[in-house]
Amino acid sequence: KTSKNRFAVEVPEATDQLTVSYSVYCHEFSVRTSDLTDRHAFLTGAELFLWPVGMGNAPVEVRVRVPDSWDLQTSLPTERCGAGEYSLKAEGLDDLIDSPILAGQLDSVQFSALARPHSFVLDGLDGIPVPDCMVADTVSIIEHAAQIFGGSLPYQEYKFLCMFTDSGRGGLEHLSSSALLAPRTTFRPRKHYQEFMGLVAHEFFHVWNVKRMRPAELWKFDYEHENYTSLLWVAEGFTAYYDDHLCRRAGILTSKDYLAIVAKGITDLRRSPGRMHQSLSEASYDAWIRLYRPEEHTRNSTLSYYGNGALVAMCLDLRIRAETKGEKSLDDAMRHLYEHTFENGQGYSEESVCQSLSHAAGCDLAEMLACLVHQPLDPDFAGMFTAFGLELDESSSDAPYLGVHFKAGTTTIGSVIEDSPADCGHLLPGDEILAVAGLRVTARLWSDVFDHVASCGEQVEFLLSRRGSIVQQALTPAPQPHGKCHLVPAKDATAQQLELRRGWLFETADE
């Protein structure tokens, strides 16, 4: 072993074939790791396959043997060689890594969209049927997404590799497939189904945004080192905006559903102290060390380029629509960026993103963009919504607020919100709250006890366990500083405002 991911093998000069045998432990059920049980196999190339150094473009055949009763699905060209044996062909290292393999006793739902074959490959549903509307909803998502980029699909066939289990959710995009993980109860109630279709839309939109059009720093993949870019707010944030918006366009979400999602995103942003300490550009660059490695101070020092990048995309979309009186939108900017970067064989920069946005708006958006992605994130949402006949209301509450987040199933503090009553009262991550106002609390009883004994502006005694010592601490709860946001139609909206709103929300005149 010569480094963390390299091995050197000495062979005689006359050797023309080398066989290397090795075992890989596969028992992590996610969309980015390999998992093997007696019921299924999900194999991801990046952690599984050895590859000769310097031969990234070499074609390769992979032979996979599975139990005779199993099926195998991947986006790679596949030939069944006999009972339980499959031959897969990849054009090179990138192709192999970008094509996960799912095997097991799989179900498949095949359908056509824009004259191309598609399929849902279903693993782990254990007899639970998929909704009758899922195929039609997915076809609508595909058609609306393709329309943004000119109307055609950039692949010959696409597979949604869906794995279902008792809990967990995630997705990972690939060039002509995606890996999706969801609870097997995800189809009911309706809200859960909408969330699953949002996941489908998110990973599918990556067909263009990330898998083809992507930041210049990621144009050529470096598997040896971290790949840094300050543009994940475009790659993931804009995609996160389009996943819900595509579901609205497809009719999976009503306008009311969609506006509730937007309002929740604004509420979450305003309740995140980290937005005042880290910009979206910095959050993108620090993804390797921050986003996927959260710790007790994460909420106070960082922000997510996913949901908050989606809000920035929405702000830009609203601005373009307002500037052009609804003639143009963020769709036009995305199509322009795709045509002028990916189709020219290059990745995009922040400058090229700004040029495409400004081209769509018909005015220079450089100042607005810089403010949104390089400074603390605090847009004037209410002002932006005015042009669309919408009002942003923030409801207040007199309920006592402490400002802590507990570790799951405990009353041990996982994080303390900056400048909250808990922070001002010197509660610390790791403190276990044993009692409040002399009453014993547990994870199950916490909310009931706290709500009954605590009042805003009145001091209350806490009994804590701190690093093995029993500590008494007095705190004064206060109202939640940021209320819950709601987006409601303005009663006096003008015809022009209504037209803009209907265009943004893809509403018909009678909605």
Side-chain angles (χ1 to χ4, degrees):
K1 190 170 186 177
T2 59
S3 68
K4 64 182 180 181
N5 65 330
R6 286 194 179 194
F7 298 84
V9 181
E10 293 185 12
V11 295
E13 291 185 5
T15 301
D16 58 10
Q17 181 174 333
L18 178 68
T19 300
V20 178
S21 299
Y22 61 100
S23 298
V24 179
Y25 184 77
C26 303
H27 193 246
E28 185 176 353
F29 201 8
S30 78
V31 295
R32 64 182 183 275
T33 51
S34 295
D35 185 67
L36 175 64
T37 71
D38 60 346
R39 302 190 66 181
H40 91 148
F42 180 66
L43 309 177
T44 59
E47 66 176 1
L48 192 63
F49 296 115
L50 291 177
W51 193 271
V53 174
M55 296 180 64
N57 294 323
V60 62
E61 178 187 13
V62 178
R63 289 287 185 110
V64 183
R65 293 185 183 134
V66 297
D68 293 352
S69 61
W70 284 18
D71 184 20
L72 181 146
Q73 293 289 335
T74 178
S75 60
L76 293 172
T78 303
E79 178 183 353
R80 187 161 188 167
C81 305
E85 185 167 344
Y86 295 82
S87 172
L88 284 55
K89 301 290 181 64
E91 295 177 358
L93 180 59
D94 289 347
D95 193 27
L96 182 63
I97 286 181
D98 206 21
S99 306
I101 302 164
L102 180 60
Q105 294 181 340
L106 310 174
D107 294 319
S108 181
V109 178
Q110 300 179 352
F111 59 97
S112 178
L114 296 176
R116 298 285 167 83
H118 296 72
S119 60
F120 277 103
V121 179
L122 308 169
D123 172 41
L125 276 179
D126 292 347
I128 295 177
V130 299
D132 293 337
C133 59
M134 189 169 78
V135 167
D137 286 342
T138 303
V139 169
S140 186
I141 286 172
I142 291 170
E143 290 174 346
H144 281 289
Q147 188 176 14
I148 295 169
F149 295 96
S152 62
L153 297 172
Y155 52 79
Q156 294 302 311
E157 182 179 2
Y158 191 91
K159 296 182 179 183
F160 297 95
L161 303 178
C162 304
M163 299 176 289
F164 299 93
T165 181
D166 56 340
S167 62
R169 185 178 296 275
L172 191 59
E173 69 276 6
H174 297 283
L175 201 64
S176 53
S177 68
S178 54
L180 308 177
L181 176 67
R184 59 176 59 91
T185 55
T186 195
F187 301 132
R188 292 190 182 92
R190 175 70 179 176
K191 182 180 179 182
H192 291 174
Y193 171 71
Q194 291 169 335
E195 290 172 352
F196 176 73
M197 294 309 296
L199 179 63
V200 169
H202 184 99
E203 303 310 331
F204 183 75
F205 193 77
H206 277 314
V207 162
W208 293 274
N209 190 27
V210 168
K211 294 316 302 179
R212 288 166 177 84
M213 178 178 75
R214 56 184 182 265
E217 299 90 340
L218 307 181
W219 187 247
K220 292 185 178 180
F221 303 123
D222 182 354
Y223 299 112
E224 301 277 339
H225 309 93
E226 294 89 344
N227 291 233
Y228 294 101
T229 177
S230 59
L231 292 167
L232 295 182
W233 51 271
V234 180
E236 289 293 355
F238 281 31
T239 302
Y241 172 64
Y242 273 103
D243 57 28
D244 289 324
H245 210 266
L246 285 171
C247 285
R248 169 58 207 136
R249 300 181 194 201
I252 300 166
L253 295 171
T254 65
S255 292
K256 184 178 180 180
D257 294 332
Y258 180 72
L259 292 178
I261 291 172
V262 172
K264 183 181 183 301
I266 295 172
T267 300
D268 292 343
L269 172 67
R270 289 180 171 175
R271 291 179 177 178
S272 302
R275 70 191 174 98
M276 306 306 292
H277 299 292
Q278 186 184 52
S279 71
L280 278 174
S281 176
E282 293 167 335
S284 299
Y285 199 82
D286 283 351
W288 287 99
I289 60 173
R290 305 300 294 274
L291 182 67
Y292 294 103
R293 297 180 180 181
E295 36 81 21
E296 63 189 36
H297 196 50
T298 294
R299 295 176 187 270
N300 298 319
S301 59
T302 69
L303 78 168
S304 169
Y305 49 76
Y306 278 86
N308 298 316
L311 290 175
V312 165
M314 180 193 70
C315 291
L316 293 165
D317 193 13
L318 296 179
R319 174 70 182 276
I320 294 170
R321 291 174 184 271
E323 290 285 350
T324 63
K325 294 181 171 56
E327 293 294 322
K328 301 286 185 180
S329 70
L330 185 61
D331 293 5
D332 297 278
M334 296 297 282
R335 183 164 55 253
H336 183 274
L337 185 63
Y338 187 80
E339 292 170 350
H340 286 77
T341 59
F342 173 74
E343 291 187 350
N344 282 333
Q346 61 188 33
Y348 58 74
S349 63
E350 184 174 327
E351 181 182 3
S352 56
V353 172
C354 185
Q355 288 173 351
S356 293
L357 291 167
S358 300
H359 179 269
C363 63
D364 189 359
L365 296 187
E367 183 177 351
M368 178 183 181
L369 187 64
C371 182
L372 288 171
V373 303
H374 292 293
Q375 296 181 20
L377 189 55
D378 192 23
D380 178 17
F381 292 110
M384 294 179 190
F385 288 126
T386 298
F388 293 78
L390 291 168
E391 296 176 350
L392 183 65
D393 294 337
E394 184 175 314
S395 60
S396 59
S397 172
D398 294 330
Y401 163 73
L402 194 58
V404 299
H405 293 272
F406 292 121
K407 296 181 180 179
T410 75
T411 56
T412 299
I413 298 173
S415 61
V416 178
I417 299 300
E418 183 180 72
D419 296 329
S420 66
D423 189 27
C424 296
H426 308 297
L427 290 189
L428 301 173
D431 288 351
E432 180 186 3
I433 300 180
L434 304 175
V436 181
L439 299 178
R440 181 75 168 96
V441 294
T442 63
R444 182 176 63 85
L445 296 174
W446 163 256
S447 294
D448 288 341
V449 172
F450 182 72
D451 290 346
H452 276 82
V453 302
S455 300
C456 293
E458 296 184 12
Q459 197 173 79
V460 62
E461 290 289 331
F462 284 72
L463 185 67
L464 315 170
S465 172
R466 176 176 293 166
R467 294 180 176 175
S469 298
I470 302 301
V471 177
Q472 285 187 312
Q473 200 87 3
L475 284 87
T476 304
Q480 165 66 256
H482 298 286
K484 186 177 180 180
C485 293
H486 303 272
L487 270 171
V488 295
K491 295 179 180 179
D492 58 349
T494 66
Q496 183 178 3
Q497 290 172 324
L498 288 174
E499 185 177 358
L500 278 176
R501 186 170 79 214
R502 288 170 182 155
W504 175 48
L505 296 179
F506 279 71
E507 293 178 332
T508 58
D510 56 349
E511 286 187 88

